[in-house]
Amino acid sequence: MANDYDPKARNAGVDAIAALVTRLALHTGDPGAADTAANEVTGGSPAYARKAVAWNAAAAGAATQNGDVVFDVPAGTVAWVSGWNTAGTSRYFKKDVTDEVFAAQGTYTVKGTTSTLDLNDA
């Protein structure tokens, strides 16, 4: 039997997850099992690094990112995004994104207007 959560319960769940997910990471392939960061992007000049992310308050069971998150990336492919705690020890999600290939150093933007934490049915 599936649960049918009220909107306030979905919002509370999303807000709790949003408080934990404070960093985003990029990957060239599947990040792997829980709490692993396989295929994380490395290198470049300026060097790739995980970036801070903040979230708007949840509404209708989803929270949008509070602004764009821009990464420096070396030549290669960005294929996945993952969400982490500040310490980088707990991964809360991984998302397969449309591959973006960089022939040379560039920037990759995770758009605030299209990135959400969502607890609604797919």
Side-chain angles (χ1 to χ4, degrees), residues 73-92:
V73 294
T77 302
V78 173
W80 290 75
V81 175
S82 61
W84 294 82
N85 66 347
T86 301
T89 55
S90 293
R91 190 185 76 208
Y92 294 97

Side-chain angles (χ1 to χ4, degrees), residues 14-97:
V14 168
D15 285 337
I17 294 167
L20 297 170
V21 179
T22 58
R23 299 281 184 274
L24 295 180
L26 303 178
H27 304 266
T28 60
D30 188 332
D35 293 339
T36 61
N39 302 307
E40 188 166 359
V41 171
T42 60
S45 181
Y48 161 82
R50 291 182 182 182
K51 298 289 183 169
V53 64
W55 304 92
N56 295 311
T64 56
Q65 232 175 252
N66 184 358
D68 295 347
V69 178
V70 180
F71 293 85
D72 293 305
V73 294
T77 302
V78 173
W80 290 75
V81 175
S82 61
W84 294 82
N85 66 347
T86 301
T89 55
S90 293
R91 190 185 76 208
Y92 294 97
F93 72 82
K94 62 180 183 177
K95 172 75 175 154
D96 188 3
V97 296

